[in-house]
Amino acid sequence: MKVLILGSGVIGVTSAYYLARAGHEVTVVDRQPEPALETSFANAGEVSPGYSSPWAGPGVPVKAVKWLLMKHGPLVIRPKLDPVMWVWLLKMLRNCTSARYAVNKSRMIPIAEYSRDSLRDLRRDIGIQYDERSQGTLQLFRYQAQLDGTGEDIAVLKQYGVPFEVLSREGCIAVEPALAGVKEKFAGGLRLPQDETGDCHMFTQALAKHAQALGVRFMFNTGIDRIVTDGARVSGVATSAGLLQADAYVLALGSWSSRLVAPLGISLPVYPVKGYSITVPIKDASGAPESTVMDESYKVAITRLGNRIRVGGTAEISGYSSKLYDARRATLDHSLTELFPRGGDLSKATFWSGLRPMTPDGPPVIGPTQYANLHLNTGHGTLGWTMSCGSGRVLADMLSGKKPDIDVSALTVDRYAHRFG
């Protein structure tokens, strides 16, 4: 088939690669001049199936109040006169129950683990390089009470067969030696040894070249205006380059996806939740992290990417604004200098923000719509990098008429027909 993919972030490019590998004629359209220049550009760098959990969970509403009052809190809400924002928040609150959390997590773990395995296959098959490390993730607890409160998390890890290690202060230092100089600042940690790290932007750009070698055509600097329909099918996409037509269409526009399908009568509750990062050149390798350290108190991830440190965090609900706020950078600076004071040169750091496409329940939206030839691959939130290869591979199987290796029937947009959507 001829397949038109809207969006050249990590989700769009992985979809393009796997579709081309399956023999389809693929075109990717994006307003940017290159792949992965928006949300995929400078994320935290984690490939973390073990942390694939919904943000909506029991206790989150109470925690949110605390976070909003913290100087370096992980949550920021900038209220707007936007009914879509408030409806999305209400839907998220409806999912903050133990029962809904369990259902939603059960939908996220399989695609995340399948994606990690698909990424490993890709490394083996084409030798793709992206500052990858396979040394796990360390969730670092500053206080003993946090360490003592890991019972529920550990129960979930056991339920899904995710390997883990509960580490003392000395155990944390054994896997992250640079923490030895600040051992008075933390009590212990929870390590997920199968998690990986890597530069999502570097990966996406490299995979785009492999996709081009398979025949994928990229149309950059091309604005996407609207999807044109004819009855129960999509007949084309109106763009700044004219009307583009194909046999099948894949929407992978992240936070912008919901706006594009709303005129078609598709209710897709994907809303942007802004995240921030700084990228810091390593000054002293012995003082830098080996892999990813998650500073649990501030929900900040500190990741080693080659000769750089990526520090990412904050969930800011502020619509589609990409404005950079100094207070958000201060939180990232604080976490890095507290835990790895010798590691990076903050005077040379670059500051970035990206809009994570979040669903109110947590799982992404992958699969068909009410239009026979329109498929969605969006709503991955903070886990787009983690779930990218699996999502692209599953979608390619769907469009090729093959049964995917894992059951993704619960990830379609149809789930939002229910009241908890």
Side-chain angles (χ1 to χ4, degrees), residues 347-358:
S347 69
K348 296 180 180 178
T350 55
F351 187 29
W352 171 88
S353 73
L355 301 178
R356 309 179 185 105
M358 297 286 295

Side-chain angles (χ1 to χ4, degrees), residues 4-7 29 223-229 234 236-239 249-266 268 270 320 371 374 376:
L4 184 67
I5 297 176
L6 308 182
V29 184
I224 299 167
D225 300 324
R226 62 190 177 91
I227 297 173
V228 182
T229 59
V234 171
V237 176
T239 74
Y249 302 82
V250 176
L251 183 60
L253 284 175
S255 297
W256 302 92
S257 301
S258 53
R259 287 189 166 186
L260 201 62
V261 298
L264 308 183
I266 298 174
L268 175 62
V270 171
Y320 287 80
Y371 295 89
L374 176 62
L376 304 176

